[in-house]
Amino acid sequence: MRSKIMLFEQIRRDSRVEGLSVRALAKRHQVHRRTVRQALASAMPPEPVRRRWQSKKIDPFADAIDAMLRSDLTAPKKQRHTTVRILARLVAEHDARDLSYSTVRSYVNERRQEIWAETGRPMADVFIAQTHQPGAEAEVDFAELFVDLPTGRTKCYLFTMRLCFSGRAVHRVYPTQSQEAFLEGHIAAFTELGGVPTLQIKYDNLKSAVTQVLFGTDRRRTENERWVLFRSHYGFDAFYCMPGIEGAHEKGGVEGEGGRFRRNHLVPVPKVKSLAELNLRLAKADRADDHRRISGRVTTVGAMFGIEKLLLRPLPTETFEPGLLLNPRVDRHARVMVRNCQYSVPARFIGRRVRVHLRAGEVIVLDGRTVIAAHERSNGKGAQILDLDHYLEVLKYKPGALPGATALVQARAGGAFTPAHDAFWAAARKAHGDSGGTRELIDVLLLHRHMATADVVAGLRAALTVGATSADVVAVEARKQQQHDAGQPARPVDRSDTSEHTIVSLTQRRLADPTAVIAGLPADTRPLPSVTQYDELLSRRKPGPDATDEARGNVS
């Protein structure tokens, strides 16, 4: 319309200034003379005439097509007439073989809108702009993403909570969409935001919260009892959107937030050692986003959140345990069954019932209030997660079971059993036999319970350097490394002694042949100790039996 207004203005100007005729104006501006007369009559171009359907072929079938389109008013959304179906029915029921698809499509597109408009029901959804009060509402959703973990590229889920007023959002990544992840995400979000929305939080109909959708005029739901307990603890109400894609617009803020955050902070695919490391990065990214400004708003997200934060409901003083509490029994393999996966516990608890807190990313096993085992949660069905440390006391008496132990295979794969352990084990078996060498290795593995892994590995390498195969030597060298790491001063060394300092195993020295050279020591030629010299300290000796009889004979 703007270009036609400019055309009319130029035509009127040329006519006014130069006095050109209609024919000359039409030739100069390359338009029809009718257009020139319209421009000279009015500066405003006339409205375009609405094109009316003039096809004669479709006129006999117009009533039939209108009837089909009106029947769609009460039909289910996925069972309405398409143009292909209308044409097929016209051919089958009315022998309309001369009609083309394009002719029917043009007529249907025009008449469908008119028929729906006659009933007052627009075909397209109409969205009503909403104004949110500060601190009142939030929205929650999960989004999919992939993460490169040490085990490979893994599908994970991004939990997002977004405040409706300020747009401030909190994101956390979890391996599943389980109820444990759902609750942990809420706790992390409430803690980061410093409070709880006062009115409501909007959700999809997640199984973690809703067990059944009751269809009707109102939004009735049957909620999960543990979810109801969580809502009651934190004091907020839940608003559940319409099922399916029809209800996505009811929490459109968080629907778009998940994609925006993923594109800006999770591209390329993040490569991390664990999801805990990734969540620390996401927390920093959330705070960095406080400086961004949402389209259509004057102030930044952080400035608006500063207003909203003061109006949130304070957090409860008591903490809520998000993990599911279970009470399995330890089987004869020192394992507990949790959600179709088996996790190891110390062997001394075989046959006893223990408490298990199943969380989003970890499994914590307790005996009373004492934590006896902690594992990373497995998502695979039928998986075994075994810790070699839980079987060391048993392996001490059954050393032959260690080479083929599943726990050893997993320890190697996870990096807990290093090449230094393997080298020490091979040297110990060569020196002490299979059973003896394995027991020495187990003594070394027991050092990990109270010493850092790096210190024990350093002790292993130091022992292997001089050919020592005793756990005592590894322990001494590991403590040296521990003291060095702690910054403690080392023992003074006698610089006048030019002999080579070597690592000495006291156990080997005590049990070995006194004349043998062990660990670099010279042969011991000293005589064996004796207590004969101490007999001189006795004040007197008791007379023997012969001397007593002789004394008695003299008296007689």
Side-chain angles (χ1 to χ4, degrees), residues 479-518:
R479 290 190 185 96
K480 288 182 181 179
Q481 182 65 31
Q482 191 177 43
Q483 292 175 357
H484 179 269
D485 294 340
Q488 298 180 4
R491 286 187 175 184
V493 180
D494 185 4
R495 301 296 182 183
S496 62
D497 185 7
T498 58
S499 62
E500 183 181 359
H501 295 280
T502 57
I503 300 174
V504 180
S505 170
L506 299 181
T507 303
Q508 288 182 345
R509 184 68 182 85
R510 182 174 63 253
L511 300 178
D513 184 1
T515 61
V517 178
I518 299 176

Short mmCIF file of all heavy atoms in Angstrom, two decimals, residues 479-518:
data_model
loop_
_atom_site.label_atom_id
_atom_site.label_comp_id
_atom_site.label_asym_id
_atom_site.label_seq_id
_atom_site.Cartn_x
_atom_site.Cartn_y
_atom_site.Cartn_z
N ARG A 479 53.47 -42.97 53.68
CA ARG A 479 53.45 -41.97 54.75
C ARG A 479 54.45 -40.86 54.50
O ARG A 479 54.22 -39.69 54.82
CB ARG A 479 53.72 -42.65 56.09
CG ARG A 479 52.58 -43.55 56.56
CD ARG A 479 52.78 -44.01 57.99
NE ARG A 479 51.74 -44.95 58.37
CZ ARG A 479 51.86 -46.26 58.33
NH1 ARG A 479 53.01 -46.80 57.90
NH2 ARG A 479 50.86 -47.04 58.69
N LYS A 480 55.60 -41.23 53.92
CA LYS A 480 56.57 -40.19 53.55
C LYS A 480 55.97 -39.21 52.55
O LYS A 480 56.13 -38.00 52.67
CB LYS A 480 57.84 -40.84 52.97
CG LYS A 480 58.70 -41.57 53.97
CD LYS A 480 59.93 -42.13 53.27
CE LYS A 480 60.83 -42.89 54.23
NZ LYS A 480 62.01 -43.46 53.54
N GLN A 481 55.28 -39.76 51.54
CA GLN A 481 54.65 -38.91 50.56
C GLN A 481 53.55 -38.07 51.18
O GLN A 481 53.36 -36.90 50.85
CB GLN A 481 54.05 -39.79 49.44
CG GLN A 481 53.40 -39.02 48.31
CD GLN A 481 54.40 -38.18 47.52
OE1 GLN A 481 55.56 -38.56 47.40
NE2 GLN A 481 53.94 -37.05 46.99
N GLN A 482 52.84 -38.65 52.14
CA GLN A 482 51.78 -37.92 52.83
C GLN A 482 52.34 -36.75 53.62
O GLN A 482 51.78 -35.65 53.62
CB GLN A 482 51.02 -38.89 53.75
CG GLN A 482 49.73 -38.35 54.32
CD GLN A 482 49.02 -39.40 55.16
OE1 GLN A 482 49.64 -40.11 55.95
NE2 GLN A 482 47.71 -39.50 54.99
N GLN A 483 53.45 -36.98 54.30
CA GLN A 483 54.10 -35.91 55.06
C GLN A 483 54.62 -34.82 54.12
O GLN A 483 54.55 -33.63 54.41
CB GLN A 483 55.23 -36.47 55.91
CG GLN A 483 54.75 -37.37 57.03
CD GLN A 483 55.90 -38.01 57.79
OE1 GLN A 483 57.06 -37.82 57.42
NE2 GLN A 483 55.59 -38.79 58.82
N HIS A 484 55.15 -35.25 52.99
CA HIS A 484 55.66 -34.28 52.01
C HIS A 484 54.53 -33.41 51.48
O HIS A 484 54.66 -32.19 51.33
CB HIS A 484 56.36 -35.02 50.87
CG HIS A 484 56.90 -34.10 49.82
ND1 HIS A 484 56.16 -33.73 48.71
CD2 HIS A 484 58.11 -33.47 49.69
CE1 HIS A 484 56.87 -32.93 47.95
NE2 HIS A 484 58.05 -32.75 48.52
N ASP A 485 53.37 -34.04 51.19
CA ASP A 485 52.23 -33.27 50.69
C ASP A 485 51.69 -32.32 51.74
O ASP A 485 51.19 -31.24 51.42
CB ASP A 485 51.12 -34.23 50.25
CG ASP A 485 51.53 -35.07 49.05
OD1 ASP A 485 52.48 -34.66 48.35
OD2 ASP A 485 50.92 -36.13 48.83
N ALA A 486 51.80 -32.73 53.02
CA ALA A 486 51.29 -31.88 54.10
C ALA A 486 52.26 -30.77 54.47
O ALA A 486 51.95 -29.94 55.33
CB ALA A 486 50.97 -32.73 55.33
N GLY A 487 53.47 -30.79 53.89
CA GLY A 487 54.45 -29.76 54.19
C GLY A 487 55.21 -29.97 55.48
O GLY A 487 55.83 -29.04 55.99
N GLN A 488 55.20 -31.19 56.03
CA GLN A 488 55.94 -31.47 57.26
C GLN A 488 57.41 -31.63 56.95
O GLN A 488 57.79 -32.17 55.92
CB GLN A 488 55.40 -32.74 57.92
CG GLN A 488 53.94 -32.64 58.34
CD GLN A 488 53.46 -33.92 58.99
OE1 GLN A 488 54.23 -34.85 59.19
NE2 GLN A 488 52.16 -33.96 59.31
N PRO A 489 58.29 -31.15 57.87
CA PRO A 489 59.73 -31.28 57.62
C PRO A 489 60.16 -32.74 57.65
O PRO A 489 59.69 -33.53 58.45
CB PRO A 489 60.36 -30.49 58.76
CG PRO A 489 59.32 -30.49 59.84
CD PRO A 489 58.00 -30.50 59.15
N ALA A 490 61.06 -33.08 56.77
CA ALA A 490 61.57 -34.45 56.73
C ALA A 490 62.67 -34.63 57.75
O ALA A 490 63.24 -33.68 58.29
CB ALA A 490 62.11 -34.75 55.32
N ARG A 491 62.97 -35.87 58.08
CA ARG A 491 64.04 -36.18 59.04
C ARG A 491 65.38 -35.71 58.50
O ARG A 491 65.64 -35.82 57.30
CB ARG A 491 64.11 -37.68 59.32
CG ARG A 491 62.97 -38.18 60.20
CD ARG A 491 63.22 -39.63 60.54
NE ARG A 491 62.24 -40.13 61.48
CZ ARG A 491 62.27 -41.35 62.00
NH1 ARG A 491 63.24 -42.18 61.65
NH2 ARG A 491 61.35 -41.73 62.85
N PRO A 492 66.26 -35.20 59.38
CA PRO A 492 67.58 -34.80 58.89
C PRO A 492 68.38 -36.00 58.41
O PRO A 492 68.31 -37.09 58.99
CB PRO A 492 68.22 -34.16 60.12
CG PRO A 492 67.48 -34.73 61.28
CD PRO A 492 66.08 -34.96 60.82
N VAL A 493 69.12 -35.82 57.37
CA VAL A 493 69.90 -36.90 56.77
C VAL A 493 71.37 -36.67 57.08
O VAL A 493 71.89 -35.55 56.97
CB VAL A 493 69.68 -36.96 55.24
CG1 VAL A 493 70.50 -38.07 54.62
CG2 VAL A 493 68.19 -37.13 54.96
N ASP A 494 72.06 -37.74 57.48
CA ASP A 494 73.49 -37.66 57.77
C ASP A 494 74.25 -37.61 56.44
O ASP A 494 74.34 -38.60 55.72
CB ASP A 494 73.92 -38.89 58.59
CG ASP A 494 75.37 -38.79 59.03
OD1 ASP A 494 76.00 -37.74 58.75
OD2 ASP A 494 75.86 -39.75 59.63
N ARG A 495 74.78 -36.43 56.13
CA ARG A 495 75.47 -36.26 54.85
C ARG A 495 76.80 -36.96 54.82
O ARG A 495 77.37 -37.19 53.76
CB ARG A 495 75.67 -34.76 54.59
CG ARG A 495 74.36 -33.96 54.54
CD ARG A 495 73.49 -34.40 53.39
NE ARG A 495 72.27 -33.62 53.32
CZ ARG A 495 71.31 -33.83 52.44
NH1 ARG A 495 71.44 -34.83 51.58
NH2 ARG A 495 70.22 -33.08 52.45
N SER A 496 77.36 -37.27 56.01
CA SER A 496 78.67 -37.94 56.03
C SER A 496 78.57 -39.39 55.61
O SER A 496 79.57 -40.01 55.25
CB SER A 496 79.29 -37.84 57.43
OG SER A 496 78.46 -38.51 58.38
N ASP A 497 77.34 -39.95 55.69
CA ASP A 497 77.16 -41.34 55.30
C ASP A 497 77.01 -41.40 53.79
O ASP A 497 76.01 -40.92 53.23
CB ASP A 497 75.93 -41.92 56.00
CG ASP A 497 75.77 -43.41 55.73
OD1 ASP A 497 76.66 -44.00 55.10
OD2 ASP A 497 74.72 -43.96 56.15
N THR A 498 78.00 -41.97 53.16
CA THR A 498 77.98 -42.04 51.69
C THR A 498 77.39 -43.34 51.18
O THR A 498 77.35 -43.57 49.98
CB THR A 498 79.41 -41.90 51.15
OG1 THR A 498 80.22 -42.95 51.72
CG2 THR A 498 79.99 -40.55 51.52
N SER A 499 76.95 -44.22 52.10
CA SER A 499 76.36 -45.48 51.65
C SER A 499 75.02 -45.22 50.99
O SER A 499 74.33 -44.25 51.28
CB SER A 499 76.19 -46.44 52.84
OG SER A 499 75.32 -45.87 53.79
N GLU A 500 74.64 -46.08 50.13
CA GLU A 500 73.39 -45.93 49.38
C GLU A 500 72.21 -46.20 50.31
O GLU A 500 72.16 -47.20 51.01
CB GLU A 500 73.37 -46.90 48.21
CG GLU A 500 72.14 -46.76 47.34
CD GLU A 500 72.14 -47.74 46.21
OE1 GLU A 500 73.13 -48.50 46.10
OE2 GLU A 500 71.18 -47.73 45.43
N HIS A 501 71.25 -45.26 50.32
CA HIS A 501 70.06 -45.43 51.14
C HIS A 501 69.06 -46.26 50.37
O HIS A 501 68.67 -45.93 49.26
CB HIS A 501 69.46 -44.05 51.48
CG HIS A 501 70.37 -43.23 52.35
ND1 HIS A 501 70.47 -43.41 53.70
CD2 HIS A 501 71.24 -42.24 52.03
CE1 HIS A 501 71.34 -42.54 54.20
NE2 HIS A 501 71.82 -41.83 53.19
N THR A 502 68.63 -47.35 50.96
CA THR A 502 67.67 -48.24 50.32
C THR A 502 66.49 -48.46 51.24
O THR A 502 66.55 -48.21 52.44
CB THR A 502 68.33 -49.61 50.02
OG1 THR A 502 68.83 -50.16 51.26
CG2 THR A 502 69.48 -49.46 49.05
N ILE A 503 65.40 -48.92 50.64
CA ILE A 503 64.18 -49.21 51.39
C ILE A 503 64.32 -50.60 52.00
O ILE A 503 64.65 -51.56 51.32
CB ILE A 503 62.97 -49.15 50.47
CG1 ILE A 503 62.85 -47.75 49.88
CG2 ILE A 503 61.70 -49.55 51.19
CD1 ILE A 503 61.78 -47.62 48.86
N VAL A 504 64.05 -50.70 53.29
CA VAL A 504 64.23 -51.95 54.02
C VAL A 504 62.87 -52.45 54.49
O VAL A 504 62.11 -51.69 55.10
CB VAL A 504 65.17 -51.78 55.22
CG1 VAL A 504 65.34 -53.11 55.95
CG2 VAL A 504 66.51 -51.25 54.76
N SER A 505 62.51 -53.68 54.22
CA SER A 505 61.30 -54.30 54.73
C SER A 505 61.64 -54.98 56.05
O SER A 505 62.43 -55.93 56.08
CB SER A 505 60.75 -55.31 53.72
OG SER A 505 59.73 -56.07 54.32
N LEU A 506 61.09 -54.50 57.14
CA LEU A 506 61.40 -55.08 58.44
C LEU A 506 60.86 -56.49 58.55
O LEU A 506 61.47 -57.35 59.20
CB LEU A 506 60.80 -54.20 59.54
CG LEU A 506 61.32 -52.76 59.58
CD1 LEU A 506 60.67 -52.01 60.71
CD2 LEU A 506 62.84 -52.75 59.73
N THR A 507 59.72 -56.74 57.93
CA THR A 507 59.14 -58.09 58.00
C THR A 507 60.03 -59.08 57.28
O THR A 507 60.32 -60.17 57.79
CB THR A 507 57.73 -58.08 57.37
OG1 THR A 507 56.93 -57.12 58.05
CG2 THR A 507 57.08 -59.44 57.48
N GLN A 508 60.49 -58.71 56.10
CA GLN A 508 61.40 -59.60 55.39
C GLN A 508 62.72 -59.78 56.14
O GLN A 508 63.28 -60.86 56.19
CB GLN A 508 61.67 -59.05 53.99
CG GLN A 508 60.48 -59.16 53.04
CD GLN A 508 60.83 -58.64 51.67
OE1 GLN A 508 61.84 -57.96 51.50
NE2 GLN A 508 59.99 -58.96 50.69
N ARG A 509 63.19 -58.70 56.73
CA ARG A 509 64.46 -58.78 57.46
C ARG A 509 64.35 -59.70 58.67
O ARG A 509 65.28 -60.42 59.03
CB ARG A 509 64.87 -57.37 57.92
CG ARG A 509 66.23 -57.34 58.61
CD ARG A 509 67.32 -57.65 57.60
NE ARG A 509 68.64 -57.67 58.22
CZ ARG A 509 69.17 -58.73 58.83
NH1 ARG A 509 68.49 -59.87 58.85
NH2 ARG A 509 70.38 -58.68 59.35
N ARG A 510 63.18 -59.70 59.31
CA ARG A 510 63.00 -60.49 60.51
C ARG A 510 62.84 -61.97 60.18
O ARG A 510 63.28 -62.85 60.92
CB ARG A 510 61.75 -60.00 61.26
CG ARG A 510 61.50 -60.73 62.56
CD ARG A 510 60.35 -60.10 63.34
NE ARG A 510 59.09 -60.18 62.61
CZ ARG A 510 58.50 -59.15 62.04
NH1 ARG A 510 59.03 -57.95 62.12
NH2 ARG A 510 57.35 -59.30 61.39
N LEU A 511 62.17 -62.28 59.06
CA LEU A 511 61.88 -63.67 58.74
C LEU A 511 62.93 -64.33 57.85
O LEU A 511 62.91 -65.53 57.66
CB LEU A 511 60.52 -63.76 58.04
CG LEU A 511 59.32 -63.25 58.86
CD1 LEU A 511 58.04 -63.35 58.03
CD2 LEU A 511 59.17 -64.04 60.15
N ALA A 512 63.82 -63.54 57.31
CA ALA A 512 64.78 -64.09 56.34
C ALA A 512 65.97 -64.74 57.04
O ALA A 512 66.17 -64.65 58.25
CB ALA A 512 65.25 -62.98 55.41
N ASP A 513 66.79 -65.37 56.24
CA ASP A 513 68.03 -66.00 56.71
C ASP A 513 68.98 -64.91 57.21
O ASP A 513 69.26 -63.95 56.48
CB ASP A 513 68.66 -66.77 55.55
CG ASP A 513 69.90 -67.52 56.00
OD1 ASP A 513 70.24 -67.44 57.18
OD2 ASP A 513 70.52 -68.17 55.14
N PRO A 514 69.52 -65.03 58.45
CA PRO A 514 70.41 -63.97 58.96
C PRO A 514 71.64 -63.74 58.10
O PRO A 514 72.21 -62.66 58.11
CB PRO A 514 70.77 -64.47 60.35
CG PRO A 514 69.69 -65.44 60.71
CD PRO A 514 69.26 -66.08 59.44
N THR A 515 72.07 -64.77 57.37
CA THR A 515 73.29 -64.62 56.57
C THR A 515 73.01 -64.08 55.17
O THR A 515 73.93 -63.86 54.40
CB THR A 515 74.00 -65.97 56.44
OG1 THR A 515 73.12 -66.90 55.78
CG2 THR A 515 74.34 -66.52 57.82
N ALA A 516 71.71 -63.89 54.83
CA ALA A 516 71.37 -63.45 53.47
C ALA A 516 71.44 -61.93 53.36
O ALA A 516 71.31 -61.22 54.34
CB ALA A 516 69.98 -63.94 53.09
N VAL A 517 71.67 -61.45 52.16
CA VAL A 517 71.67 -60.02 51.89
C VAL A 517 70.29 -59.65 51.36
O VAL A 517 69.88 -60.13 50.32
CB VAL A 517 72.76 -59.66 50.86
CG1 VAL A 517 72.71 -58.17 50.55
CG2 VAL A 517 74.12 -60.05 51.39
N ILE A 518 69.58 -58.81 52.13
CA ILE A 518 68.19 -58.48 51.80
C ILE A 518 68.08 -56.99 51.64
O ILE A 518 68.54 -56.22 52.49
CB ILE A 518 67.24 -58.98 52.89
CG1 ILE A 518 67.35 -60.50 53.03
CG2 ILE A 518 65.81 -58.58 52.59
CD1 ILE A 518 66.55 -61.07 54.15
#
